[in-house]
Amino acid sequence: MRIFGKGRNRPSASWRQATDRAFTLIGDGRYEDAGALLTRAADLEPWLSESWFNLALLHKFRHDWEQARAAGLRAVALLDRDTGAPDWWNVGIAATALQDWPLARRAWQAYGLRVPGSPTGSGEPLGMDLGSAAVRLSPEGEAEVVWGRRLDPARIEVLSIPLPSSGRRWGEVVLHDGVPHGERSTAAGHTYPVFDEIELWAPSPVPTWVVLLEAAGEADRDALEQLAADAGFAAEDWSSSVRLLCRMCSESRMPSDEGEGEHLDPHDHSEPGHPGPLGHRTDGQLWVPERECGLAAPASLVRGLLDGWVADSPDSRDWRDLEEVC
């Protein structure tokens, strides 16, 4: 994060000392003290784009988006290259947080990304076709990695059903940082970045429920997930989709397969034999009928979905203990 000028006008020793000390304080969470030092550095070297980039970075950490935008614009005004500078990416994040769509478009284009629509368009920069990615919710707390759809370079729509401990819901849009921390790979060989959430950008009105299912086989479980999807909502078998990982494992490249049956993932730190967050492994059994399932659906619909699922195959399906958890 510490960036020093390489041009003919190198920053002074005082600038370097203030900047070094500031980032040490940022690492300790002492943002106010760091801000005073970075402001002093900008006063010492106001011609240096890095002075303003560092201030913009600090304001991003503090979620002070007005200040982040202002400092970021001063940084890009002093750049000596046209495209690809991380200064523009920080401007894009701040502009997205503030819903300053003309500036967000300008930032992504200046970074070198193609943004559909008119260059002067005032609407959201939609249709960038960035595909799927994973996002780490609450990265400084009880972090959880979930899957989502990238709306633009700074926002992901959450398509997994997060655990209630995250405080997040299916369908929410979160603002995320630009540098991935970790990857998730699929059995098909595709690799997806894991971005860290910065903050909630748009909440979801759809509550999260937890329910215990009796599903005789995987096809029964899959039927509920399909039934919820057909209704425009979601169901997720937490007994197979959830793994407990240490931070080192979470921020590395991890396979995203569910690991049912006898497969033992050496990075999985959960305990076998329990539905829910601790149930990724199953003591060698091919299938455990009792499943802890997350549901994202309105209160007016959730029981009807479950009853309809049972009615389609009453001999192999049942449910109990439905509870709203987020």
Side-chain angles (χ1 to χ4, degrees):
M1 291 188 293
R2 277 167 274 191
I3 300 175
F4 304 126
K6 296 181 179 179
R8 61 181 182 273
N9 294 320
R10 296 181 64 82
S12 65
S14 296
W15 184 94
R16 291 170 179 269
Q17 290 168 0
T19 302
D20 272 343
R21 177 58 179 158
F23 278 100
T24 298
L25 292 172
I26 288 173
D28 294 336
R30 296 172 57 185
Y31 292 153
E32 292 295 331
D33 294 335
L37 286 171
L38 290 179
T39 299
R40 177 170 177 265
D43 289 339
L44 288 170
E45 308 285 9
W47 50 268
L48 190 66
S49 65
E50 287 87 345
S51 294
W52 305 104
F53 173 84
N54 291 336
L55 268 173
L57 202 61
L58 171 68
H59 294 313
K60 181 183 74 173
F61 295 153
R62 298 173 63 187
H63 303 182
D64 186 342
W65 300 116
E66 293 283 358
Q67 292 295 328
R69 176 174 59 181
L73 287 172
R74 295 196 68 168
V76 297
L78 295 167
L79 288 175
D80 57 3
R81 55 176 168 153
D82 294 332
T83 60
D87 309 66
W88 278 114
W89 199 282
N90 278 341
V91 169
I93 292 175
T96 301
L98 295 168
Q99 301 186 44
D100 183 347
W101 301 126
L103 180 58
R105 284 176 167 272
R106 178 185 166 203
W108 304 135
Q109 289 167 338
Y111 188 79
L113 302 176
R114 188 184 68 83
V115 183
S118 169
T120 59
S122 59
E124 296 181 41
L126 300 176
M128 295 185 71
D129 194 25
L130 299 177
S132 299
V135 60
R136 182 175 291 104
L137 305 175
S138 304
E140 300 303 322
E142 194 171 338
E144 177 184 357
V145 175
V146 297
W147 288 98
R149 177 173 66 95
R150 298 187 72 188
L151 304 180
D152 58 37
R155 292 181 298 161
I156 289 180
E157 179 187 11
V158 175
L159 299 182
S160 299
I161 303 178
L163 296 172
S165 57
S166 72
R168 295 284 177 261
R169 289 175 165 181
W170 171 86
E172 291 187 327
V173 176
V174 298
L175 192 73
H176 67 82
D177 218 340
V179 178
H181 282 158
E183 295 178 334
R184 295 297 181 268
S185 59
T186 66
H190 302 298
T191 300
Y192 299 90
V194 180
F195 297 99
D196 284 349
E197 174 194 16
I198 297 177
E199 67 181 17
L200 178 64
W201 191 88
S204 169
V206 181
T208 302
W209 308 79
V210 63
V211 63
L212 285 180
L213 305 180
E214 286 292 332
E218 291 184 57
D220 294 294
R221 183 272 315 278
D222 295 346
L224 178 60
E225 294 182 350
Q226 187 60 53
L227 194 65
D230 291 344
F233 299 100
E236 183 176 328
D237 180 7
W238 283 343
S239 293
S240 62
S241 67
V242 174
R243 288 182 293 175
L244 299 184
L245 303 175
C246 68
R247 177 177 290 273
M248 182 178 296
C249 294
S250 179
E251 294 182 356
S252 65
R253 175 179 289 192
M254 292 294 301
S256 61
D257 56 338
E258 294 181 351
E260 285 290 357
E262 296 184 4
H263 172 74
L264 295 180
D265 185 341
H267 300 280
D268 188 343
H269 304 294
S270 60
E271 297 177 5
H274 301 279
L278 302 179
H280 179 71
R281 302 197 302 239
T282 58
D283 281 337
Q285 300 179 55
L286 294 179
W287 182 256
V288 176
E290 186 176 74
R291 320 295 295 177
E292 187 172 65
C293 181
L295 278 167
S300 60
L301 182 66
V302 64
R303 287 175 176 80
L305 275 174
L306 290 165
D307 289 340
W309 172 71
V310 171
D312 287 339
S313 183
D315 293 335
S316 62
R317 303 172 186 174
D318 200 2
W319 66 270
R320 61 183 171 85
D321 298 342
L322 178 67
E323 180 184 1
E324 183 176 349
V325 291
C326 184

